[in-house]
Amino acid sequence: MNCYRLLLFVTLLLAGLPTRAQTTTRVVRGQVRDSSGQALPGATIRLVSPRDTTGTITRDDGSFEMPHVTEPRFNITVFMMSYAGFKHDYSFSPTDTAATLGTIVLRSDIQQLKAVTVRGSPLAVTFHGDTVEYNAAAYQVRDGSNVSEVVRQLPGVEMDHNGKVTAQGKEVTRVRLNGKDYFGADVAKALRNLPASIIEKLQVIDDYGDQANLTGIKVGEPQKVLNLTLKPDKSSGVFGTATAGAGTGNLHLGGLNVSRFKGDRQLSLSGDMNNSNAGLFSFGDNGGISGSDGSNAVHNLGFNYRDAFSKKLTGYGSINYAENRSLVTGTTAQQTIDGSYVNVNNQQNRNTGHNRSYAINYNLEYKPDTLNQVRFSPGFNRSRGETEGISQFHIAQNNLHPVKISDGTNTNYSDNDNTSVNASLMYNHRFRKKGRNFNINLTYGNNTMTSQQDVRTLTHLDYVDSLAMDTALHQQVHAPAGSNIFSSSLSYTEPVGKTSVLELAYNFSRNNNTSSRETWNIDPDDVKTRVDSQSNSYHYTFLSQRISLRYDLRGTKHRLLLGLSALPQVLSGASTHPDFTTRTPQFSFSPNIHYTYQVSNSRSFSFSYAGNPGQPGFMQLMPVTDLTNPQYPVVGNPGLKPSFSQSVSLNYRSFNVQKGNSFFVGMTGSLTNNSVVANILNDSAHLAGMGSTVIQEIRYVNADGARSANVYYNFSQPLWQRKLTFTYSGTVSYGNNISYMNDLAQRSANTSWNQSLRLRLNLPRLMDIEANGGFNSNNVHYSTTGGFNTTTNTLFVELYARHYIGKHMILGWNATKSVNSGLSSGVGANPTVLNMYVECQFLKGNRGALRFQGFDLLNENTGIYHSVNGAVITDTRNNRLSRYCMLSFSYRFDKFGF
């Protein structure tokens, strides 16, 4: 009976619950667009009611959806950067299961409505055609950090600890500030010189050149450019950093970076000097050791200037000076695969150098009205380099039984002086009819070079079945050279309908080159004898024209460029010894296709195809022996034919505005017919006829079938409000290379895998930690039957950390470990590099910092390199500066708004 009563009680209790369990819930849906009707992905939506508080972000098409909303009355707030906020109360029937809000329109306005107090996360990544735009506010860095700390966090962008920046698998070649070049091609200096706090957006641009930027017709291989836009309230002020440090072993560093911005006027001065192989101290850096080989004493000075002299006239440019004294020692093992055997050249090298360079580049832009633009860009470059290399070599032939061929010492001193002057003049006229445009560009360049060489070689020969013998060779070479280059381009575009443009373009280029080479043998009594067979004077001219017709279809989301070019070209030249004259005309067609599909602001796809002819160089045509390296003389082939290459590329980029992840994938492929390849002659009979010191002679031949393919991918997923970021990236590449050994063709299939996984934890008040691990694998398979295939593997782990102790102390460390296999004997190493530092910040706003740092505490820093070029495999191990300590002081200053 008690059980029945209990059952009845439970039944009655459950019967009273349906009114709550069956409470109507509804899905709230809507669209967010701007005043022109364009969808706005990434807008922040917030719903507030007495019982519900929830939120979401709009999808790629601007739509949003919030399920399980219990209250029929609620308030919706919409926020997005650069748009006026939206706030509205909604009321629906309690029985409605769907609440459709319709289209919410946001008006463009940099001032947000005062009634809207909700602030959403800014959209981190957007795509605009060939540009990937990052919002700096989405990437948190510690106060006082420079912009490089933001760059390291960008999805699809990698920055190594030497300052090299790679975006979507390609190196960034220059930095621009508000669309104008900043410190020329010195990317590391530009990023180091700018504080992160003044940057609003970072744009990775596929730059097709000035003409493409004005006409919109994009042809050729683009360069990766990083454009930085300033925050409006940071356009006037002064900022910079001063640094000084001293370390063990008489090491030192010092530098000054200072900038003054005032509206359109921007001045920046950057100078540094150090002999520690480390980048200049800066707030927020990781304290890592540089990857430079050897020991280097560096002096750099740069000045960047920009100003608007009037509303119509603007000028900007830079002056740079660089000096470097270096000492590098190392071991090299070079294998040349030849049928059933391998020639191995083991070398112990010591190289010293002293290089100086000066560069002045300027741009003057005149815009008399909105339809016309003139730009004049002069430049001057001067470089002087003195190098001395000593190499002890041991050459052997490895088959079933290793056989020694020769050993000896090679000493090479060279003094090179290079001066170049260049200028370009561009005029662009935009007609009042939309799409009609005329552009002309004239460029001139003059380059002169003088080279002096002193080469000494002592060789002990020990051929199979031959008497051993010693030889000595001492030569001096004087080789002046010069070139004059003139080029011009004209482009006219005409609209065809409302969505397409037709372009007719003409390009002309004339390249005149002169060179002479005087070679002298020096006997033991220092008597000079001119070597006529190795001396020569020659000149050549390469004349090229390109007539192009292109059709550009521009839709809302689609863009298609179809082009065809006719290329008449002539290479002509003559030499005095031997008496050689050549004139090689060529006529070919070059098609190109470029297609872009802008799915949305957060997804895009592109495809490109191009075919281009190529001419052999004059030195590859000239039948003269070049004995710069007596072990590897070079002889040209006057019968070479022009090559033709076809290339294709695919790129897909996406950013999920709701989850915050990004995905980049790029694929490239190429096929070349009549490519110019080396033919290495190595038979004893031929060597005997060429002289006792010759080991391998390099000639040139044409070959078909050279092809390559490469895939790059990068997936990045931020978590925990971008405090934790997971990134997986990699490349897979394949190359089918053709080479010749003793007039016999052989193929080498080169496959490489490079994979990495990176985790970054960013807690600006507590710590920054980055862990990176992966592997690189390279396999080379030769078509010959000797079985001399090679596989090299590298496993690596990298850890970088900064721990913030209170408001004024930082403890930092980084460690890298590499495990290498498959390298040549005597070259392989598995270095572990550990660096640590402790830093104390003081003065108002932590503007001053004192740091004590220990580099390479385990004393294992070493440079390891592996390269494959046809039949030649080279492994190198070079020394690097290791184990030292340094005490440094840095002071940061900034003031804006004046």
Side-chain angles (χ1 to χ4, degrees):
M1 186 66 178
N2 291 334
C3 293
Y4 286 105
R5 290 180 178 176
L6 179 60
L7 180 60
L8 179 62
F9 174 75
V10 173
T11 302
L12 293 174
L13 179 63
L14 294 176
L17 294 179
T19 56
R20 294 190 62 87
Q22 294 179 2
T23 298
T24 302
T25 64
R26 57 195 48 80
V27 178
V28 177
R29 298 187 179 95
Q31 289 266 345
V32 178
R33 296 182 178 273
D34 63 14
S35 56
S36 66
Q38 183 71 27
L40 294 178
T44 300
I45 314 295
R46 187 170 185 181
L47 182 150
V48 179
S49 73
R51 192 175 294 174
D52 302 301
T53 299
T54 185
T56 187
I57 298 175
T58 54
R59 303 185 183 97
D60 290 346
D61 59 357
S63 66
F64 65 89
E65 182 178 292
M66 290 178 286
H68 310 302
V69 177
T70 59
E71 288 289 329
R73 296 181 179 182
F74 49 81
N75 175 272
I76 291 289
T77 302
V78 184
F79 172 80
M80 190 171 186
M81 297 291 289
S82 299
Y83 289 89
F86 174 89
K87 190 174 184 178
H88 189 71
D89 293 325
Y90 291 87
S91 178
F92 290 86
S93 171
T95 59
D96 288 344
T97 59
T100 302
L101 308 185
T103 300
I104 298 173
V105 178
L106 298 186
R107 294 173 301 172
S108 178
D109 189 352
I110 60 173
Q111 299 295 328
Q112 304 301 319
L113 292 180
K114 294 181 179 179
V116 178
T117 58
V118 178
R119 290 295 181 263
S121 299
L123 191 60
V125 184
T126 55
F127 302 128
H128 308 281
D130 295 313
T131 298
V132 183
E133 183 175 275
Y134 303 91
N135 194 323
Y139 305 94
Q140 296 184 2
V141 295
R142 192 171 173 85
D143 291 343
S145 299
N146 57 39
V147 73
S148 62
E149 289 299 303
V150 180
V151 172
R152 288 191 174 99
Q153 300 184 48
L154 302 181
V157 179
E158 298 179 1
M159 181 176 183
D160 67 18
H161 297 283
N162 296 318
K164 177 182 175 181
V165 179
T166 304
Q168 292 96 57
K170 293 184 178 180
E171 182 177 358
V172 173
T173 57
R174 62 182 57 244
V175 172
R176 291 174 181 160
L177 189 63
N178 285 349
K180 305 299 182 182
D181 285 349
Y182 188 68
F183 279 111
D186 196 335
V187 175
K189 180 182 290 184
L191 298 181
R192 185 182 65 208
N193 208 46
L194 294 169
S197 59
I198 71 172
I199 302 301
E200 183 177 39
K201 295 184 183 298
L202 303 92
Q203 300 168 328
V204 176
I205 301 172
D206 287 338
D207 184 33
Y208 290 84
D210 292 337
Q211 182 172 308
N213 294 335
L214 292 168
T215 65
I217 306 294
K218 301 175 181 180
V219 180
E221 184 68 21
Q223 290 185 332
K224 290 290 184 184
V225 174
L226 178 62
N227 181 53
L228 309 173
T229 63
L230 292 174
K231 294 179 180 178
D233 61 339
K234 302 296 184 183
S235 60
S236 294
V238 61
F239 57 89
T241 305
T243 304
T248 57
N250 294 320
L251 299 178
H252 64 268
L253 66 82
L256 175 66
N257 299 320
V258 59
S259 296
R260 174 68 169 106
F261 290 180
K262 188 174 183 179
D264 293 323
R265 178 176 296 175
Q266 298 175 358
L267 297 93
S268 296
L269 177 66
S270 177
D272 66 83
M273 54 181 293
N274 75 82
N275 62 352
S276 57
N277 281 23
L280 274 184
F281 174 102
S282 65
F283 284 78
D285 71 2
N286 55 34
I289 195 169
S290 168
S292 302
D293 288 342
S295 57
N296 298 269
V298 178
H299 298 81
N300 293 312
L301 183 63
F303 176 71
N304 194 84
Y305 174 76
R306 176 181 176 182
D307 197 6
F309 305 111
S310 66
K311 293 182 178 181
K312 299 180 179 181
L313 186 62
T314 302
Y316 58 96
S318 61
I319 302 174
N320 292 281
Y321 168 77
E323 181 179 10
N324 181 30
R325 295 179 182 269
S326 62
L327 170 61
V328 181
T329 61
T331 300
T332 298
Q334 181 173 294
Q335 304 176 67
T336 304
I337 312 299
D338 185 1
S340 59
Y341 61 87
V342 179
N343 278 346
V344 180
N345 185 348
N346 292 311
Q347 303 174 35
Q348 298 292 328
N349 306 311
R350 184 181 189 275
N351 297 286
T352 60
H354 182 201
N355 299 287
R356 290 141 290 171
S357 64
Y358 318 81
I360 303 174
N361 296 284
Y362 197 70
N363 298 272
L364 200 61
E365 292 185 358
Y366 177 61
K367 297 180 180 180
D369 49 49
T370 59
L371 301 178
N372 296 279
Q373 179 178 347
V374 180
R375 178 187 298 158
F376 177 60
S377 303
F380 172 81
N381 294 269
R382 171 81 184 277
S383 63
R384 177 78 181 271
E386 302 170 31
T387 61
E388 182 175 9
I390 301 175
S391 175
Q392 295 179 337
F393 58 87
H394 176 95
I395 301 177
Q397 186 182 101
N398 284 355
N399 44 25
L400 295 178
H401 303 285
V403 178
K404 174 184 173 183
I405 295 179
S406 65
D407 58 21
T409 302
N410 183 44
T411 303
N412 190 329
Y413 171 80
S414 64
D415 186 346
N416 299 298
D417 195 341
N418 194 332
T419 302
S420 65
V421 179
N422 59 81
S424 66
L425 178 65
M426 184 275 296
Y427 169 70
N428 190 83
H429 175 70
R430 182 171 57 86
F431 294 85
R432 296 189 182 278
K433 184 176 181 179
K434 184 178 180 181
R436 181 179 293 172
N437 192 86
F438 173 75
N439 180 277
I440 182 172
N441 200 332
L442 305 175
T443 302
Y444 173 78
N446 177 270
N447 182 72
T448 58
M449 184 183 70
T450 301
S451 175
Q452 302 278 356
Q453 284 186 302
D454 188 284
V455 182
R456 302 169 186 258
T457 304
L458 300 175
T459 307
H460 176 74
L461 301 172
D462 194 3
Y463 290 106
V464 181
D465 300 326
S466 300
L467 295 177
M469 60 183 298
D470 294 323
T471 65
L473 177 66
H474 181 194
Q475 288 189 331
Q476 290 182 352
V477 179
H478 176 61
S483 66
N484 285 281
I485 302 174
F486 172 77
S487 65
S488 62
S489 65
L490 293 92
S491 168
Y492 175 77
T493 61
E494 178 69 23
V496 180
K498 295 182 178 180
T499 60
S500 58
V501 173
L502 192 67
E503 181 194 37
L504 179 64
Y506 173 75
N507 297 78
F508 172 83
S509 176
R510 182 183 181 91
N511 188 344
N512 293 315
N513 292 267
T514 60
S515 180
S516 64
R517 179 186 178 92
E518 296 286 332
T519 304
W520 304 81
N521 279 345
I522 314 297
D523 66 16
D525 296 325
D526 289 333
V527 177
K528 289 186 176 182
T529 304
R530 189 177 187 273
V531 184
D532 292 338
S533 62
Q534 298 174 28
S535 300
N536 191 23
S537 178
Y538 65 87
H539 68 273
Y540 72 90
T541 299
F542 183 57
L543 185 66
S544 175
Q545 301 179 77
R546 179 186 289 261
I547 303 100
S548 305
L549 183 65
R550 304 183 182 100
Y551 175 73
D552 188 11
L553 176 63
R554 306 172 183 180
T556 304
K557 293 187 176 183
H558 301 267
R559 184 164 186 177
L560 175 64
L561 176 68
L562 300 174
L564 181 64
S565 300
L567 289 90
Q569 298 175 321
V570 178
L571 176 65
S572 59
S575 66
T576 58
H577 187 85
D579 189 5
F580 168 72
T581 302
T582 184
R583 187 178 187 277
T584 308
Q586 177 189 357
F587 184 86
S588 58
F589 290 98
S590 174
N592 70 284
I593 302 172
H594 184 73
Y595 171 71
T596 301
Y597 176 39
Q598 187 78 35
V599 184
S600 69
N601 286 344
S602 57
R603 281 193 296 163
S604 68
F605 167 82
S606 65
F607 166 81
S608 296
Y609 166 82
N612 289 291
Q615 280 276 14
F618 187 74
M619 292 298 294
Q620 294 174 324
L621 292 168
M622 190 169 58
V624 176
T625 302
D626 180 359
L627 273 177
T628 301
N629 188 333
Q631 276 72 49
Y632 302 98
V634 179
V635 182
N637 176 9
L640 290 175
K641 301 176 182 179
S643 63
F644 188 83
S645 299
Q646 302 177 78
S647 61
V648 63
S649 67
L650 292 165
N651 290 279
Y652 175 75
R653 302 176 295 198
S654 71
F655 175 69
N656 189 311
V657 295
Q658 292 182 311
K659 297 182 179 180
N661 61 48
S662 62
F663 178 62
F664 298 85
V665 61
M667 294 175 282
T668 61
S670 68
L671 174 65
T672 304
N673 291 325
N674 275 337
S675 58
V676 178
V677 301
N679 179 21
I680 301 177
L681 302 178
N682 197 43
D683 59 282
S684 300
H686 180 76
L687 295 177
M690 289 295 296
S692 58
T693 64
V694 176
I695 300 302
Q696 294 176 331
E697 180 184 280
I698 300 174
R699 292 177 177 261
Y700 297 102
V701 296
N702 288 114
D704 290 334
R707 55 186 182 271
S708 66
N710 182 78
V711 178
Y712 164 82
Y713 42 88
N714 179 287
F715 175 79
S716 180
Q717 175 66 66
L719 303 169
W720 197 18
Q721 297 181 341
R722 294 195 173 274
K723 293 181 173 62
L724 178 64
T725 304
F726 158 90
T727 303
Y728 174 70
S729 62
T731 59
V732 180
S733 61
Y734 170 81
N736 184 68
N737 303 305
I738 312 298
S739 60
Y740 278 76
M741 293 295 301
N742 295 322
D743 299 321
L744 297 176
Q746 66 176 2
R747 298 176 182 270
S748 60
N750 188 350
T751 305
S752 65
W753 297 74
N754 303 294
Q755 311 296 309
S756 69
L757 176 64
R758 184 173 66 207
L759 295 174
R760 182 183 179 94
L761 178 63
N762 185 21
L763 303 174
R765 295 185 179 182
L766 296 176
M767 67 182 72
D768 295 326
I769 298 177
E770 182 178 311
N772 186 23
F775 72 89
N776 303 323
S777 180
N778 186 277
N779 177 269
V780 183
H781 181 82
Y782 289 93
S783 60
T784 55
T785 58
F788 297 105
N789 303 321
T790 65
T791 299
T792 59
N793 296 294
T794 299
L795 295 173
F796 65 90
V797 177
E798 301 173 339
L799 298 173
Y800 302 90
R802 288 182 298 233
H803 305 276
Y804 306 116
I805 305 171
K807 296 182 179 180
H808 305 289
M809 296 291 295
I810 301 176
L811 176 63
W813 59 274
N814 56 74
T816 62
K817 174 64 178 180
S818 298
V819 179
N820 301 289
S821 63
L823 299 175
S824 301
S825 176
V827 174
N830 303 312
T832 302
V833 180
L834 175 64
N835 310 306
M836 298 186 71
Y837 70 89
V838 59
E839 178 180 312
C840 176
Q841 297 182 348
F842 53 97
L843 302 180
K844 184 179 180 180
N846 283 339
R847 295 181 179 275
L850 188 66
R851 173 184 291 190
F852 179 73
Q853 190 161 2
F855 292 88
D856 189 24
L857 300 180
L858 303 180
N859 201 32
E860 294 186 11
N861 195 22
T862 305
I864 305 293
Y865 306 95
H866 175 79
S867 66
V868 179
N869 184 12
V872 180
I873 303 173
T874 305
D875 294 320
T876 302
R877 182 176 70 185
N878 288 334
N879 77 306
R880 291 181 176 177
L881 192 63
S882 58
R883 190 183 285 171
Y884 68 93
C885 296
M886 178 163 288
L887 180 66
S888 58
F889 170 75
S890 185
Y891 179 75
R892 171 175 54 89
F893 53 93
D894 59 77
K895 185 177 181 181
F896 294 95
F898 70 96

